[in-house]
Amino acid sequence: MHLTTPGTKEGKKARPYLHIARITMIDFNSTAFTNPSTFFLMGIPGLEYLHIWIAIPFCSMYIVALMGNILILFIIKTETVLHEPMFYFLSMLAITDLILSTSTLPKMLGMFWFNYHEIGFHACLTQMFFIHAFSGVESGLLVAMALDRYVAICNPLRHTSILTNTVVARVGIVALLRGLVLMTPHPFLVRRWPYCQSNVVPHTYCEHMAVVKLACADISINSLYSLAVIVLIVGTDVTCISLSYVQILRTVFNLPSNDARLKTLSTCGSHVCVILTFYIPALFSFLTHRFSKHIPRHTHILLANMYLLVPPMLNPIIYGVRTRQIRECVQQLFMTKIS
């Protein structure tokens, strides 16, 4: 075992986390119990001494996500020209991004800046549920937006008659219910296991597998169910999105001129960028967590944080820059404020 001297640099780095170790030793040497009253979030193992600096870009991303998504919601609500299926789905995406980022960032910043690592057991389960459920909701909304682009390009004359306000609302409710229903078993499965080894979660938030691995029981059912849900959601959604874009490309390449093709494809650019910003970090996080044993733990955790932080920050920027209607409405809003 490597020991650190209190006066050394390493000792100073480790000192903020000694109280976690002491509390854990006291709790678990004295008794074994089913559910701990609290968990302690470790943060980013190996980079504890950088927490105060890592929090600065994290906080900046959170502020951008809050301001950007609230602005998108305000613009869509106030501008009647944006009361169309694509923008209704975009407003649902903005709400989902606000929930995802707010489920993790405030607690994470409190841990990084104020050394507040403690989180109640039920609060941990609630955070876990919101993170995983609304990640599933966001994936479903990306499918809904692909459906909107498919109808708009492949059947433009019937776009408004097919995607009525009622249909849009039902699609949004289906995406919400699917995420909630599929992720509801997670906290109940986690709650049933005995925790008699440690209550220190080696993560910045209550990630499902990071918490479950603390249980002193066979957790194979959690692993299998989690994997099955991920394969079901991602497999189904990516397949639907891919099929939609295959049909879109077939329609686009049948158009008579290059200008018409480019103009039609440009309407899909924002959606494609949002898809990439959501699925690429998620794919890297999933693959490194499941199949790579040689990648440092802090790399896993940073990738997991990017998966929750990057899409909420970039989505309003992408749609604000690439969508002409939103860009014009934002410019008009700021010009009115200035004048």
Side-chain angles (χ1 to χ4, degrees), residues 7 19 27 49 56 71 78 85 103 124 133 184 205 230-231 248 251 259 275 291 298 314-315 318 326 338:
H19 71 286
D27 288 348
Y49 63 100
I56 295 174
L71 180 61
T78 56
S103 297
C124 183
T184 295
Y205 58 86
I230 291 172
V231 171
I248 288 171
T251 301
D259 289 341
I275 289 171
F291 303 111
H298 64 262
L314 289 183
N315 289 349
I318 291 169
I326 292 180
I338 293 174

Side-chain angles (χ1 to χ4, degrees), residues 259-318:
D259 289 341
R261 294 171 189 166
L262 291 174
K263 185 177 180 180
T264 304
L265 283 175
S266 67
T267 63
C268 301
S270 299
H271 183 238
V272 171
C273 291
V274 167
I275 289 171
L276 294 176
T277 59
F278 179 77
Y279 283 114
I280 289 178
L283 180 65
F284 274 103
S285 178
F286 173 76
L287 291 177
T288 56
H289 186 75
R290 291 276 175 178
F291 303 111
S292 180
K293 304 297 182 183
H294 304 292
I295 294 179
R297 182 182 291 177
H298 64 262
T299 303
H300 290 286
I301 295 174
L302 286 172
L303 284 171
N305 283 297
M306 290 302 102
Y307 162 61
L308 293 178
L309 291 175
V310 171
M313 178 190 68
L314 289 183
N315 289 349
I317 296 174
I318 291 169

Side-chain angles (χ1 to χ4, degrees), residues 16 37 44 90 112 142 147-148 163 185 198 206 218 223 280 288 292 295 305 325 328:
S37 59
I44 307 176
L90 178 58
F112 287 166
L142 293 179
L147 171 66
D148 170 72
L163 291 177
S198 173
C206 290
D218 182 8
S223 300
I280 289 178
T288 56
S292 180
I295 294 179
N305 283 297
Q325 297 99 314
E328 291 175 353

Side-chain angles (χ1 to χ4, degrees), residues 1 12 22 39 82 93 117 122 151 172 193 217 231 325 329:
M1 173 185 280
K12 292 177 181 178
R22 293 193 188 105
F39 280 122
L82 299 180
L93 187 70
H117 296 262
H122 292 96
V151 176
W193 302 128
V231 171
Q325 297 99 314
C329 289

Side-chain angles (χ1 to χ4, degrees), residues 20-277:
I20 295 179
R22 293 193 188 105
I23 294 172
T24 304
M25 289 172 63
I26 293 170
D27 288 348
F28 290 96
N29 286 340
S30 59
T31 183
F33 46 82
T34 302
N35 297 144
S37 59
T38 57
F39 280 122
F40 292 88
L41 297 171
M42 183 180 292
I44 307 176
L47 299 179
E48 291 91 347
Y49 63 100
L50 294 176
H51 277 178
I52 192 171
W53 303 109
I54 294 173
I56 295 174
F58 279 20
C59 182
S60 302
M61 295 166 74
Y62 181 51
I63 292 172
V64 172
L66 283 180
M67 294 178 62
N69 285 293
I70 290 173
L71 180 61
I72 288 287
L73 289 171
F74 176 77
I75 292 293
I76 292 174
K77 179 177 174 57
T78 56
E79 299 293 335
T80 55
V81 70
L82 299 180
H83 292 179
E84 299 177 1
M86 180 178 76
F87 299 109
Y88 288 143
F89 287 131
L90 178 58
S91 64
M92 296 177 195
L93 187 70
I95 293 171
T96 303
D97 283 337
L98 286 172
I99 293 173
L100 270 177
S101 55
T102 304
S103 297
T104 55
L105 257 295
K107 174 61 183 175
M108 201 182 301
L109 294 176
M111 176 177 57
F112 287 166
W113 278 336
F114 305 109
N115 206 30
Y116 188 68
H117 296 262
E118 185 175 337
I119 183 170
F121 181 75
H122 292 96
C124 183
L125 297 184
T126 302
Q127 185 189 59
M128 179 192 304
F129 173 74
F130 272 86
I131 291 169
H132 294 293
F134 281 92
S135 294
V137 172
E138 180 149 347
S139 183
L141 290 174
L142 293 179
V143 176
M145 297 170 85
L147 171 66
D148 170 72
R149 290 299 84 205
Y150 165 73
V151 176
I153 293 172
C154 299
N155 205 346
L157 298 179
R158 298 186 59 202
H159 182 228
T160 54
S161 62
I162 293 175
L163 291 177
T164 61
N165 289 346
T166 302
V167 171
V168 169
R170 287 175 179 172
V171 171
I173 291 172
V174 169
L176 175 64
L177 289 178
R178 187 192 66 162
L180 297 180
V181 169
L182 288 177
M183 297 303 173
T184 295
H186 272 152
F188 289 100
L189 288 172
V190 172
R191 193 171 183 270
R192 65 185 293 228
W193 302 128
Y195 295 85
C196 51
Q197 298 178 19
S198 173
N199 62 343
V200 178
V201 181
H203 214 292
T204 54
Y205 58 86
C206 290
E207 195 270 334
H208 174 244
M209 291 308 299
V211 174
V212 168
K213 287 179 179 178
L214 301 178
C216 46
D218 182 8
I219 60 169
S220 57
I221 185 174
N222 291 72
S223 300
L224 291 174
Y225 182 76
S226 177
L227 183 60
V229 169
I230 291 172
V231 171
L232 176 63
I233 291 179
V234 176
T236 302
D237 292 354
V238 170
T239 300
C240 291
I241 292 170
S242 301
L243 291 175
S244 297
Y245 273 96
V246 167
Q247 295 299 318
I248 288 171
L249 290 174
R250 286 179 60 185
T251 301
V252 167
F253 287 124
N254 287 330
L255 294 176
S257 66
N258 286 331
D259 289 341
R261 294 171 189 166
L262 291 174
K263 185 177 180 180
T264 304
L265 283 175
S266 67
T267 63
C268 301
S270 299
H271 183 238
V272 171
C273 291
V274 167
I275 289 171
L276 294 176
T277 59

